[in-house]
Amino acid sequence: MLTDRDLTVGTLLSVFRWRVGLTWALILSETALTVLIPLFIGFAIDGLLTEVFQPFFYLGALLIALILIGVIRRIYDTRVYGNIRVELGKALAFRFSNLPISSLNARIGMGRELADFMEETLPSAIAGVVQFVASGILLFYFSPTLALSACVVLFGMISVYTLFHSTFWRWNRALNEQVEQQVRILEQRSDRPTHVHFNRLRQFEVKLSDTEAVLYGTIFVLLIGLVLFNLWFATQHLSVTPGAIFSIVSYSWEFAEAALALPVTLQSWSRLSEITTRLDRSNGTAQPRT
């Protein structure tokens, strides 16, 4: 199924398009309901304050539907992506059968990261895009200024991540090259090479972690600024109900959470770009992909 193809996320999406498409449909349904929760909570608050209970019951029905779809999706996802991992493992074992067992073992492990990306990161990115767009529209509904502040923060986040992309790629490449040597080093059954190997893994992981810490620290400053500004603007410059203020703050935070999925996805893509280069049939020297 995958033997004669380039092993990329695009290939996997093409080969397993119907099965992945169904899980994406469930993700979109789940995300759409999730996006509506703050709005319905705001309606319920205003309704309960005036002893109107219908919005409260609507909120309950929405939450029940969300739970049902979420459970069904997770049961289905496990089976779909488990099958993808099996096919990936078979293809990699065939493609790199001439490599030393150390490199073959490492590349099979790296190949599974493609399926992990599709199961974990990509759905979060899809949900984030939907949540991001819906939150921006609803913030614009309350006030264009609220939506404008969100867009400014998003642009700032993209600019910050652009500065870190090549660094992530470089350290992921070094880590993957070291992982490929693990079985060969362990086969020597010598304390010194094993100690050096694990220290190098730790060094590369620390470099990646430190880079992540600086990146996300900077991004969180921008997101916190967004939430605080929109809360201040809603209470000082808009004539809205308590329920509406709750919705504005909630959608500002949802926008922040959705926007945070962007650098997470891009960071994962930086790592995958190095892995897919490594898994390419030409087996050439890895260079950053854009």
Side-chain angles (χ1 to χ4, degrees):
M1 187 178 293
L2 297 172
T3 303
D4 299 323
R5 295 171 177 262
D6 292 332
L7 296 181
T8 65
V9 173
T11 298
L12 296 178
L13 291 176
S14 175
V15 172
F16 300 97
R17 55 187 176 277
W18 297 115
R19 280 170 278 189
V20 174
L22 179 54
T23 192
W24 283 13
L26 292 171
I27 290 168
L28 291 173
S29 299
E30 187 177 0
T31 304
L33 294 179
T34 301
V35 167
L36 293 174
I37 287 177
L39 187 63
F40 275 68
I41 290 177
F43 291 155
I45 290 173
D46 291 337
L48 292 172
L49 289 175
T50 57
E51 298 187 357
V52 176
F53 295 97
Q54 191 175 26
F56 176 76
F57 295 130
Y58 287 157
L59 174 62
L62 177 68
L63 294 173
I64 291 172
L66 178 62
I67 292 171
L68 290 175
I69 292 177
V71 170
I72 292 171
R73 180 179 71 83
R74 283 157 180 81
I75 291 173
Y76 179 71
D77 279 2
T78 302
R79 289 155 177 78
V80 170
Y81 294 109
N83 184 57
I84 292 175
R85 289 185 181 92
V86 169
E87 296 298 329
L88 264 174
K90 289 162 54 180
L92 288 168
F94 175 80
R95 177 168 300 179
F96 298 112
S97 58
N98 61 328
L99 289 181
I101 191 65
S102 177
S103 295
L104 175 59
N105 178 68
R107 293 194 184 191
I108 288 175
M110 292 174 197
R112 290 176 64 88
E113 293 191 34
L114 298 178
D116 293 342
F117 177 82
M118 292 174 61
E119 182 177 12
E120 300 166 8
T121 307
L122 201 53
S124 297
I126 294 171
V129 169
V130 175
Q131 191 174 357
F132 164 77
V133 173
S135 298
I137 291 172
L138 289 165
L139 286 174
F140 185 86
Y141 167 76
F142 288 111
S143 171
T145 301
L146 300 175
L148 178 61
S149 67
C151 291
V152 169
V153 168
L154 177 63
F155 177 78
M157 289 174 59
I158 295 174
S159 300
V160 169
Y161 179 79
T162 301
L163 300 175
F164 285 85
H165 173 73
S166 60
T167 302
F168 279 123
W169 198 96
R170 184 172 68 254
W171 290 122
N172 275 308
R173 177 187 178 186
L175 178 62
N176 288 336
E177 288 180 347
Q178 191 64 39
V179 168
E180 286 197 355
Q181 305 303 315
Q182 181 160 294
V183 174
R184 179 185 59 80
I185 292 171
L186 294 177
E187 284 177 340
Q188 298 176 22
R189 300 184 184 278
S190 176
D191 291 342
R192 176 64 180 170
T194 300
H195 177 73
V196 171
H197 167 68
F198 286 121
N199 266 331
R200 285 178 178 171
L201 289 179
R202 180 186 63 83
Q203 290 170 4
F204 297 141
E205 289 166 350
V206 167
K207 293 290 187 181
L208 280 168
S209 178
D210 289 347
T211 305
E212 289 175 4
V214 175
L215 171 62
Y216 289 110
T218 305
I219 286 174
F220 271 115
V221 169
L222 295 174
L223 296 180
I224 289 172
L226 168 65
V227 174
L228 293 179
F229 173 81
N230 282 0
L231 175 60
W232 169 81
F233 186 85
T235 55
Q236 301 300 313
H237 296 276
L238 300 179
S239 299
V240 291
T241 64
I245 292 176
F246 173 85
S247 295
I248 289 171
V249 173
S250 296
Y251 281 118
S252 297
W253 183 249
E254 282 201 6
F255 186 96
E257 287 185 322
L260 188 59
L262 175 63
V264 171
T265 304
L266 292 176
Q267 180 188 341
S268 297
W269 189 256
S270 295
R271 175 165 175 78
L272 284 184
S273 68
E274 200 285 330
I275 289 176
T276 53
T277 301
R278 192 175 295 272
L279 300 182
D280 190 271
R281 285 173 292 182
S282 63
N283 198 26
T285 302
Q287 297 295 334
R289 289 184 175 180
T290 57

